[in-house]
Amino acid sequence: EFVELYRETTELVKAVFGTKQDILLLPSGGTAALEAAAVNTVNAGDDVVVITVGAFGDYFVSICEKYGFNVHKLAKQWGQACTAEELRTFLQPLQHIKAVFITYNETSTGILNPIAALAQVVREESDALVIVDGVSCIGGAPAEMDAWGIDILVTGSQKAMMLPPGLSLVSVSDRAWKVIEENTMPSYYLNLLSYRDWAHKGMTPNTPTITLIYGLREVCKLIEEEGGFAHTVARHELMKNMVRSAMTALHIELLTTDEFASPTITAIMAPKGIALNAFLHHLKQHYHLDFAGGLGPLQGEIFRFGHMGYCFPSDILQAVSLMEAALQDFAYDFEPGAGVSAAHKVFLAAQANTITSP
Ligand code: PLP
């Protein structure tokens, strides 16, 4: 029974990754899958580039440093993306780079790095593998792993894939498999060759998180019911635009520019004159609306509005409406209803574009 479940589920997930490669299922959080991507492709002492635009890019740096890789860090200010030209300038003087590690969606800042363009630059400027952390966007953001030349794409179950935590998904290009076959760094539980061998038999090398794999199959069916993955991506884009226009209408600043704004999470500056922690606490206590605060240097400066996975335009309207109630409680100067109305206009415009009159 498991073989059937495994084969059916991993076939369905390929559309979400944009790949024809196998999808490997690790019984782990996203961090273990990032670690697997690193330890299977690079040996201690090898040169790697890590692009970091926030807390989770720094995660990749820590993993690579722990394993003794020689890390060349391309760090951007939190709230900014890494552009293709910046990466090109960074890569050009470097030699023998084994891999470039990139966070697709930086959860701490709501930045979606231009991953297709970055992967292309890596191909043009080096022979390095392109290793991508898609933990907080795969399932809600476009992904064309094969067409964009991504060598390893990783995600976890608990974000846009709509499941509880405990399952991670990894896909590997042919080019990366060749590197992995020759890599000498030891690994056991995270050994991707062993996952590949077992995947060919429709199995995993150790006890799989079976309940989550049943869930994953259902998630893929939900995506099919929505009309296919392109529709799921469009819903995330719509939710992003609804949140952004609501905040603009309420004169609340956004951390990121529209160009690099994440479709799954929006980082929002503290409303002017309001003590952010008290505001977030009030929202949770009185309106049962829970926004995450900022991390690292952005602690106390921003809050983060998640709109990924099992989340719909109606949720956005409700959340903005409750946020307005809390703003009113804090005597914030705004026109009541302005945020909801702006979000609703974006919603209506999207319906007009997709639904023809009966
Ligand atoms: N990468 C990104 C972009 C994340 O958002 C997270 C978790 O929030 C991780 C990696 C780590 O994943 P996990 O907490 O499942 O180990």
Side-chain angles (χ1 to χ4, degrees), residues 29-31 34 56 59 103 105 107 133 135-136 158-159:
T31 309
L34 299 181
F56 292 98
Y59 241 54
T103 318
N105 189 72
T107 328
D133 170 355
V135 169
S136 62
Q158 77 274 25
K159 294 214 164 52

Side-chain angles (χ1 to χ4, degrees), residues 1-12 22-26 195-196 198-205 208 213 217:
E1 276 174 49
F2 179 76
V3 170
E4 207 176 295
L5 170 70
Y6 183 94
R7 293 216 160 112
E8 186 187 349
T9 308
T10 52
E11 262 323 292
L12 290 168
D22 291 336
I23 304 288
L24 309 174
L25 301 179
L26 279 56
Y195 281 90
R196 179 178 69 174
W198 282 90
H200 291 160
K201 297 179 244 175
M203 302 282 277
T204 57
I213 300 174
R217 185 170 64 181

Side-chain angles (χ1 to χ4, degrees), residues 54-109:
F56 292 98
D58 289 351
Y59 241 54
F60 249 160
V61 171
S62 306
I63 293 171
C64 291
E65 286 179 347
K66 273 271 185 248
Y67 281 101
F69 307 165
N70 186 21
V71 177
H72 303 265
K73 183 166 135 181
L74 197 180
K76 290 296 306 276
Q77 194 186 326
W78 287 38
Q80 291 183 5
C82 177
T83 65
E85 283 322 303
E86 282 163 344
L87 178 59
R88 193 185 301 283
T89 310
F90 192 84
L91 279 177
Q92 273 171 348
L94 300 175
Q95 282 179 343
H96 310 302
I97 296 297
K98 195 86 179 279
V100 178
F101 293 87
I102 316 172
T103 318
Y104 187 4
N105 189 72
E106 178 50 68
T107 328
S108 61
T109 59

